[in-house]
Structures are given as structure tokens and as C-alpha cells.
Amino acid sequence: MLEAPVQISHYFPEQRLLLQVINDPEIPNYVHLVVSIILTDLAPDEAMDREDELRKNWSRGLSHEIREHFYTILEYSDEF
């Protein structure tokens, strides 16, 4: 998790990040770590392209155990 902001900032340098811990209601004691990338001024196509590159270049290098519980998602702020 300490590496996530650094890696994400390569693709989304001006965006805020929000970390959420989400319990899976269907599986006891199973949690997901979700990092929301809060977008303010990127076009949706560009944001998705950047997220694809992030996944290719960083997320795929993570262990299976981490990838199973860790996600990034794109969200637009109300100010978009």
C-alpha cells in the first residue's frame, strides 16, 4: 500500500486518492482495499487509457494475494 500512491502518481499526477477498506458481505473476514482515483479534469477515454497502463505496468507485477484484495477505480468528483 505504501507503493500505491507513488505508482499511481506516474499516471495521475494531479489527482487525489481515497483508500477504502470494504468488507465482502458474502465472504466472512474477506476484505478489499480499494484506491479511488478522484478525477477532476481528465476526459474519460484518457483516464481509462491511463488506468490500463497503470495495471499493465504495476498491478500485474503484484503478487496474486495482493491483486486478489486490491483494486483501483476511477471516480469523478462533483466538480467535473
Side-chain angles (χ1 to χ4, degrees):
M1 284 311 306
L2 297 176
E3 190 178 316
V6 173
Q7 294 297 322
I8 293 169
S9 71
H10 293 298
Y11 301 92
F12 299 95
E14 301 297 322
Q15 311 310 315
R16 292 181 299 132
L17 304 178
L18 172 67
L19 175 63
Q20 300 173 70
V21 178
I22 300 175
N23 292 312
D24 190 325
E26 297 180 9
I27 304 172
N29 301 320
Y30 193 84
V31 297
H32 300 284
L33 296 175
V34 178
V35 175
S36 297
I37 302 167
I38 310 300
L39 305 170
T40 55
D41 60 354
L42 287 176
D45 289 341
E46 182 179 350
M48 290 174 57
D49 289 345
R50 289 182 187 196
E51 185 182 36
D52 287 344
E53 287 297 312
L54 172 65
R55 288 184 176 156
K56 279 192 276 187
N57 295 323
W58 177 59
S59 299
R60 289 184 183 168
L62 300 173
S63 71
H64 174 73
E65 291 82 17
I66 292 173
R67 281 191 321 228
E68 184 177 10
H69 297 280
F70 177 76
Y71 300 93
T72 58
I73 60 172
L74 302 174
E75 292 187 30
Y76 281 92
S77 72
D78 294 336
E79 300 154 5
F80 181 71

